[in-house]
Each structure stands twice: as C-alpha cells, then as structure tokens.
Amino acid sequence: MTTEQGLEPVAGYTNCTVDRTDPEATTATCVIDQELRPGAAATISTTTNPLLVKVQEDAGGPHVYAVAVTAVGVPDGQATTTPGPKLALRPVAPIPRGPGGAARFGVTVGASATTLDAVGAEISGGIGDTTDLRVGLRNAGRTATVPGTSPTALVTMPAGVEVTRVADGCTADTGGYLCTVTQRLRPTQPALFDFGVRIIGNARTTGTVTISTGSPRPTRPADAGAPTAGPANRGVASDSAAISWMTPVGETSTAPIAGALAGAALLLLGGGIFLARRRGAGRQDLRATAP
C-alpha cells in the first residue's frame, strides 16, 4: 500500500515493513503467508485485523490524497517468522473479476491555512566581488503546502549586481528570475535557491523576492493568533522581501538598506537578519530568518 505524503500507513504487524525514504510517498509492504486458491477471494478485516491509513497532523488541504494498493503472488518462504501480530486475510464470497492486481482510492482533507513568507538576503562586498546569494520562501504556517500547488518566487536583483550562476529550479523571467517550488513544504521548512552574483556597479538599489502561493493565502488576525482564511488570490503575488546591498566597511551608502520597497525591509541587528513586513494598517510583524 502506497500513500501520498500527507498520509501515513499504520501497520503494526511483524509481517509488514514501512518505507519512508521516498519524499513523495510512503509504502507499507506486507507479506501474508496464506494460500489463495484459483477463483477464491479474500479481504483484510476492517475491524479485528485492519490495515489503517491516518492523516498526518500537518496535512494541507483542500486535497484528495491518493492511496494505491497492489496485490502480487510471491514464492513460498518469503513471509517472516518473527513472532507477534501479523496481517491476515479472511475468505469472502467470490467477486467478479476486477481490473487487475491494483486499486486506488482517495482520502479527502478539508481546507487548512498555509502561510508562505518570502526570504530575502543582503549582498556584501565591493565592486568586482563575486558571492553566493540564497533567497526563496519559507512555510510559516501550521500545515504543509498542498501537493501540486507549486509556489513560486520572482527574484529581481539590485542594479549594479549581475547573475553569474542561475539557481536550479529558476528560469529567466521578465525583470528577473522565476523560481518554482516542486516539493511539499512542511511547517517551518524553507525552499531556498542559490544564485551566484557579481557586483559590477555602485547604484545600490534594492532587489526583491516576490512570492505567489499558487492557492488562497490566509490573513493573520490582529491578535497574531491562528491564521484565518483570507480572500483568494490564486496566482497573485502575495508577499515580498528585499535583496539589499550592504555597505562595505569604510564606504558610505547612497541608498537606504530597504530602498523604496514599501512594507518590507531587511535589518541587520546583533548579527541576525530580521524580516519586517507590514501586516495590515498600522501594524508590523518582526520575523527572524536564518543569520
């Protein structure tokens, strides 16, 4: 039995093993040492001897999570001899011939609140220097992103900074680079893209990282409690952060760190980078990103 990430097989039998190494799915394999004669039919009990699937606590929705079950015959001697409870079959009345040895079904999960925050950065150095730049987004919500939503980050560089290496997962786009997140992001998990850049001028303007969630983005209530469902903005830019150029020691900047980017700024305080973003009229949240 293979379940899409967001679901979890519950086996608990000595003749079943669970493989969680695939980032896209989890598989439970059970070898059942029982004879099934030609034309006979059997099933797994749903009461006394069930094979269960549970929804993970951080599963995002709305989404129908897929489960696939495959049945194959194996040679004698494959079953485990380890003592303990084992998954077993019970005979049932013959059933019409099915589509083969595989079947699929879905588990429906209702809507949840997933919040994505843009992650900016500061470029340090002087004209002619090359450096790495890591920017992207982070899941700041309480549930994982819904499979198939593919959030994006549009990255624009400050004037005077050229890209020497385009990050994997990013392509040139109007005014910058469009980076697409293909994996499921669990709460607090980032998706960061590594660019190589060279400083070629001293304009010292501010670049941006603007993200699109690919699904309705929740709004935060005034008391900063649990997010609530906000207006749908599918495919619309929903959040941004700055890419700024730090002033090298001994030089004077001709532009503020945050430039003219309204509602977002990067501040360097006590060795940590903090992302300040306006969340509604007259209010700001101060959220720490990685130093």
Side-chain angles (χ1 to χ4, degrees):
M1 180 176 66
T2 300
T3 65
E4 188 176 13
Q5 289 292 9
L7 302 179
E8 179 78 10
V10 182
Y13 303 106
T14 59
N15 60 334
C16 298
T17 59
V18 179
D19 182 1
R20 298 180 175 86
T21 58
D22 189 334
E24 302 297 330
T26 301
T27 300
T29 302
C30 303
V31 180
I32 301 172
D33 188 14
Q34 292 178 237
E35 183 182 28
L36 190 64
R37 293 182 176 276
T43 186
I44 297 171
S45 171
T46 59
T47 56
T48 59
N49 197 30
L51 182 60
L52 303 177
V53 174
K54 72 175 182 179
V55 178
Q56 294 176 347
E57 290 184 358
D58 64 357
H63 185 66
V64 179
Y65 288 85
V67 181
V69 181
T70 303
V72 297
V74 295
D76 290 340
Q78 297 295 309
T80 179
T81 58
T82 304
K86 291 181 172 59
L87 186 69
L89 299 173
R90 63 179 180 84
V92 294
I95 56 177
R97 182 177 178 85
R104 295 175 62 88
F105 62 92
V107 177
T108 301
V109 174
S112 62
T114 298
T115 301
L116 300 180
D117 282 347
V119 177
E122 291 179 329
I123 301 172
S124 179
I127 295 176
D129 290 345
T130 58
T131 187
D132 294 328
L133 178 67
R134 175 174 287 186
V135 294
L137 54 89
R138 176 182 289 107
N139 184 353
R142 299 183 180 182
T143 59
T145 54
V146 176
T149 53
S150 300
T152 61
L154 179 62
V155 180
T156 62
M157 298 295 170
V161 174
E162 70 172 2
V163 174
T164 59
R165 183 186 71 254
V166 178
D168 291 340
C170 302
T171 57
D173 193 79
T174 303
Y177 296 86
L178 187 65
C179 304
T180 302
V181 180
T182 57
Q183 74 270 29
R184 173 174 174 260
L185 296 181
R186 304 192 75 165
T188 75
Q189 183 179 358
L192 302 177
F193 300 91
D194 293 315
F195 288 85
V197 297
R198 177 185 295 113
I199 301 171
I200 58 174
N202 59 1
R204 299 193 186 284
T205 60
T206 303
T208 59
V209 180
T210 305
I211 65 174
S212 176
T213 63
S215 61
R217 176 180 171 83
T219 57
R220 297 177 189 266
D223 63 358
T228 59
N233 61 344
R234 185 176 301 274
V236 177
S238 58
D239 205 357
S240 61
I243 301 175
S244 59
W245 180 1
M246 293 177 61
T247 304
V249 175
E251 294 188 21
T252 301
S253 174
T254 59
I257 287 178
L261 180 62
L266 280 174
L267 308 176
L268 187 64
L269 300 175
I273 300 174
F274 291 81
L275 177 64
R277 184 175 302 106
R278 187 167 300 280
R279 300 282 192 184
R283 180 178 176 272
Q284 286 185 331
D285 284 345
L286 196 62
R287 183 174 302 278
T289 65

